[in-house]
Amino acid sequence: MKKVMEGSMAISDSIRMAEPKVISAYPITPQTHIVEHLSQMVADGDLKAEYIMVESEHSAASVVLGASACGVRTYTATAAQGLLYMEEVIYNIAGMRLPVVMTVANRAVSAPISIWNDMQDSMALRDSGAIQLVAENNQEAYDMHIQAYKIAENPDVMLPVIVCVDGFVLTHTFEVVDTIDHIEKVREYLPPLNMQYKLDVNNPYSFGTVAEPSIYHEARYNLSNAINNSKSIIVNAANEYKEMFGKYEGALIDPYKMDDADTVIVAMGSVLGTIKDVVDELRESGKKIGVLKVRSFRPFPSDEIVNALKNIKNAIVIEKAVSLGKGGILSCEIRDALYQRKVNSVNVNGYILGLGGRDITPQNIYDLIMKAEKEENIDGEFFGLNNELLNKVF
Amino acid sequence: MPKTTIKFDYDKYLRKDTLPHIWCPGCGDGIILKSLLRAIDKLQYKKDDVVITSGIGCASRLPGYVDFNTIHTTHGRALTFAIGIKMYKPRLKVITVSGDGDALAIGGNHFIHAARRNIDMTLIVFNNYTYGMTGGQSSPTQPYGSHATTTPYGSVEPPFDTCELAKAAGATWVARSTSYHAVQLEKLIADALTHKGFSVLEVITNCHISYGRRNKMKSPVEMIKYQKEKAVPNRSAVNMTPEELTGRFKTGLIYEKKDSLEFVEETYKQLELIKQ
């Protein structure tokens, strides 16, 4: 059924459909609406789950770790500093191979303090072993969370999935979302969680114990393999979802108007909507330009991206995060993928935009395209700086 | 002690370029801010000798508005930053302002350990019973049975008593006031600052927006009335039965222990010994 829904409401509604048994969260802007809706659902009996209030994000992640280790479906959500505070536990969740699903309402990190959107927070978790999917709009956020459980709980994966949604831009914005009417259909798509290894007094296992140098290396190799091999499972999850619910927003990547393109803009998250509007206009004026959406940031779809980009001239990467001391993150990984596969005909330029919630307007995107096509080897240049302010802020 | 002056030059202590503040109209936090400024003025501390640290939350915005040495840190950790400052420069007057969530939930660990060490600093806990800034989620001081967005049918968890917790953990000066009792508040802040050791002052403050609205006190006036009616001076509470005290809170000086071992002094004493 089509409804006008706030992003947070759409996310909590899709979590309701996935029927987690344990939810735990600590309040942080802009995640709060999601967990407030969920606590109301639990209190009203619309979702048969335990909602556990905790004293920090570290505890929230620890609660879902514990519950997940017992073999039940779990959910948590956070943002920014909260995610950084959870980091230690998320590495453990991944290392213990537990299928926790969580939302990150992407927000800038301190200092200085900012409550507004960029992607610096989830980028800090990129090496954790958690799968990271990035939603473009509220519909995709809705669909992606149900798919996230499907991916996380696949016996060949058994990893946490972080669903990234842009804070405020999606979480606090109302859009039309086509929701699933019958929970039975979701149950069919997402059968009950059945974990081979769990905490069970009748069949005891131990999680997270000390691994000596003789075994740790192999444990990490298996973890690395699991996330690398999850690519095909992410694709299957998207395809099955399409078959069942008629919605498809891409799997690992999603090309848009790329067939004959010379120039392609690569990006993740809600900024894609603005980019597509600009590209539509440029297409009308005859410019051969397209968009490549990266939907799965971890695992990184190197082959798929190289296949999509290998015949184009310019790839313009727009990022809302920066690896300080290096430059663009997404652009660096794309360049690496191209280099590894010996494709050196693509001019990749990476730009940092919209940190700390600064709006990225269609005009910004237009100006950037005009500039970027004339440039080479741009590795994470800050675009749209107000030079007058540079001497005034620390 | 000099009388509380009605005309007071707050501008002397405010960073006016950071105003207006973010507190909602009717919020109690401004009353605590002003009481703090009057207390500091009364003690004639030099502005450069005062350090205020804070974590995250509505209360934690206070350091941004005042012209002392201030640092706005991460959620729950304001006391740890303060300990670092105090240890390095013991002559500084170090004050931490913190909300109930900041001090007792995410920062609860640091709260008890600062108290245990009896470090010569002051913690002011702005207790509004909720996470006001994020819209009213359940906090560890939320009264049993009261409502929050994450407890839509009432809290089933017993709350912390900030003062009892501080006392049990080792704080040597503990008091409570409210944003209604502004005169008492000013006096207690001054006493807290002059106490040698870890002083904890809990201030019941009103958040009618995130807490009151859900608990039949939707206006600041109703919340201020609540503070007035529920407060029991500690000296009167002695003669009251537990039943009479149910749903009420004690105000004034709750606990004081003089001449206890103080952490900074003990540490420097030991350093001197080692040097010899």
Side-chain angles (χ1 to χ4, degrees), chain A residues 80-319:
Chain A
Q81 304 307 115
L83 183 66
L84 298 191
Y85 194 30
M86 273 187 183
E87 183 166 10
E88 179 188 33
V89 189
I90 292 174
Y91 269 78
N92 272 285
I93 294 172
M96 292 183 199
R97 309 289 301 274
L98 299 172
V100 170
V101 169
M102 65 180 291
T103 309
V104 170
N106 283 109
R107 162 183 155 180
V109 297
S110 301
I113 297 169
S114 164
I115 59 166
W116 294 278
N117 165 247
D118 67 33
M119 286 194 69
Q120 198 70 53
D121 53 357
S122 55
M123 284 295 162
L125 269 290
R126 65 180 198 255
D127 303 333
S128 65
I131 290 171
Q132 278 192 33
L133 306 176
V134 189
E136 178 185 343
N137 50 43
N138 290 354
Q139 179 68 55
E140 186 170 13
Y142 181 92
D143 301 329
M144 198 177 259
H145 280 85
I146 297 171
Q147 292 175 29
Y149 281 105
K150 181 91 171 168
I151 298 159
E153 294 171 4
N154 186 298
D156 293 332
V157 179
M158 295 304 286
L159 287 172
V161 177
I162 297 174
V163 179
C164 302
V165 293
D166 283 321
F168 291 112
V169 185
L170 296 183
T171 57
H172 287 55
T173 307
F174 285 74
E175 283 186 332
V176 174
V177 178
D178 196 359
T179 61
I180 299 166
D181 294 331
H182 302 291
I183 201 162
E184 292 74 22
K185 294 278 278 182
V186 180
R187 286 178 187 150
E188 204 182 310
Y189 176 79
L190 205 58
L193 173 60
N194 186 11
M195 280 163 55
Q196 190 187 351
Y197 304 107
K198 60 183 172 189
L199 294 177
D200 179 353
V201 283
N202 297 317
N203 188 19
Y205 280 102
S206 196
F207 284 70
T209 45
V210 173
E212 307 222 331
S214 56
I215 185 175
Y216 184 88
H217 204 59
E218 283 70 22
R220 297 308 278 185
Y221 174 79
N222 281 344
L223 178 59
S224 170
N225 251 359
I227 188 161
N228 287 334
N229 296 339
S230 69
K231 285 179 200 170
S232 62
I233 287 140
I234 296 170
V235 173
N236 289 345
N239 290 337
E240 277 180 51
Y241 195 88
K242 182 184 176 183
E243 258 170 50
M244 212 148 189
F245 305 107
K247 293 273 181 301
Y248 184 78
E249 296 102 353
L252 297 163
I253 56 169
D254 195 33
Y256 178 79
K257 299 195 176 175
M258 274 185 61
D259 289 346
D260 59 342
D262 299 326
T263 296
V264 167
I265 305 180
V266 191
M268 298 191 285
S270 63
V271 70
L272 284 156
T274 317
I275 296 171
K276 285 176 183 173
D277 283 352
V278 176
V279 164
D280 287 347
E281 275 182 36
L282 289 170
R283 275 273 169 191
E284 272 174 34
S285 64
K287 193 166 173 56
K288 289 182 175 174
I289 186 164
V291 184
L292 183 64
K293 158 162 128 185
V294 178
R295 192 170 179 268
S296 166
F297 179 64
R298 282 292 180 272
F300 192 72
S302 301
D303 288 319
E304 292 75 6
I305 288 176
V306 171
N307 273 335
L309 296 182
K310 65 184 176 202
N311 296 322
I312 62 135
K313 257 165 45 194
N314 292 303
I316 304 169
V317 186
I318 292 182
E319 297 189 64

Side-chain angles (χ1 to χ4, degrees), chain A residues 376-392:
Chain A
E376 274 181 8
N377 293 324
I378 303 295
D379 180 17
E381 178 184 303
F382 279 64
F383 181 80
L385 288 174
N386 179 349
N387 289 318
E388 276 176 30
L389 280 176
L390 292 178
N391 294 327
K392 291 182 185 164

Side-chain angles (χ1 to χ4, degrees), chain B residues 53-125:
Chain B
T53 76
S54 71
I56 296 291
C58 295
S60 296
R61 289 293 185 104
L62 185 148
Y65 307 134
V66 290
D67 189 18
F68 304 110
N69 305 287
T70 66
I71 180 166
H72 191 176
T73 69
T74 51
H75 197 17
R77 319 293 154 205
L79 276 173
T80 57
F81 285 83
I83 289 171
I85 293 163
K86 185 71 187 175
M87 290 305 290
Y88 183 59
K89 288 209 166 163
R91 69 173 177 86
L92 296 174
K93 300 289 171 190
V94 182
I95 306 163
T96 296
V97 292
S98 196
D100 42 312
D102 198 48
L104 300 172
I106 198 163
N109 196 14
H110 307 308
F111 178 92
I112 54 173
H113 289 282
R116 177 178 64 80
R117 293 186 178 111
N118 191 34
I119 182 163
D120 186 22
M121 307 191 310
T122 296
L123 168 68
I124 304 177
V125 181

